[in-house]
Amino acid sequence: FITLKSTLPCKILAISLAEEMNENVQNALLKTLEEPYEKTLIFLLSEKPNHLLPTILSRCKRIVLHALSDKEMRLMIAQKYPECENVSLLLKLSNGIPGMAEMICQNNGFSLYSELQKFLCPIQSLNLVDLMTFLNAKTPEENAILNAHTPTFDDLFAKTF
């Protein structure tokens, strides 16, 4: 990718979930970080930067992004999704991440959450076959919503006991 010709003024490479690269992949990337191609920006996106090799971290500028406050999220939701009827649930599901709130609103995330609750509550009646069938039938966007909600689903489990 980085060696491909471009008509744009620069090339941008974003590596999402960088912490999931194994040691061999990180070492291979190291050479590129040490001697980057001209007019190339490389972004390593990671929720767990401590899982990256120290040699990788030493060659990167760290930019920490924080979730928005509830007040900031409420303002964004009111501006972008004034028809949203359950702002409190959207705040909880989006964890202060505007892009997640957008994904939830655009991909029927509230009904997805409601469907998933039926499988998980009460936990004693959990049917793993039905749950796997449900999860396997979801689109990549819906799966992204589901994958981002581990803390919220922990709350669901706590309510069942």
Side-chain angles (χ1 to χ4, degrees), residues 29-143:
L29 178 63
L30 195 56
K31 176 135 175 66
T32 303
L33 293 175
E34 289 170 341
E35 300 172 19
Y37 290 90
E38 189 176 316
K39 297 181 182 177
T40 301
L41 295 172
I42 302 171
F43 291 91
L44 301 180
L45 309 174
S46 176
E47 293 180 12
K48 301 173 187 169
N50 57 324
H51 290 193
L52 293 167
L53 294 175
T55 51
I56 294 281
L57 293 174
S58 70
R59 286 158 181 83
C60 296
K61 177 174 174 58
R62 188 173 183 164
I63 302 171
V64 179
L65 303 176
H66 298 282
L68 297 182
S69 69
D70 280 0
K71 182 179 178 182
E72 293 167 316
M73 285 295 291
R74 283 182 189 279
L75 180 62
M76 184 277 302
I77 292 166
Q79 290 174 344
K80 200 161 187 176
Y81 300 101
E83 72 285 354
C84 181
E85 294 178 11
N86 199 338
V87 174
S88 295
L89 180 59
L90 185 56
L91 287 172
K92 187 172 187 171
L93 294 176
S94 61
N95 295 317
I97 303 169
M100 180 55 67
E102 186 173 308
M103 200 177 343
I104 290 166
C105 290
Q106 292 178 352
N107 293 287
N108 210 10
F110 291 120
S111 66
L112 182 64
Y113 178 75
S114 180
E115 284 180 74
L116 191 58
Q117 274 186 307
K118 293 174 188 172
F119 288 104
L120 300 177
C121 297
I123 195 71
Q124 295 84 354
S125 63
L126 177 63
N127 181 322
L128 290 178
V129 173
D130 289 346
L131 178 59
M132 291 309 298
T133 302
F134 167 77
L135 294 173
N136 289 331
K138 297 302 163 201
T139 66
E141 292 82 10
E142 291 171 327
N143 278 316

Side-chain angles (χ1 to χ4, degrees), residues 120-126 153-161:
L120 300 177
C121 297
I123 195 71
Q124 295 84 354
S125 63
L126 177 63
F153 297 139
D154 288 345
D155 292 345
L156 283 175
F157 290 131
K159 291 177 187 173
T160 63
F161 296 107

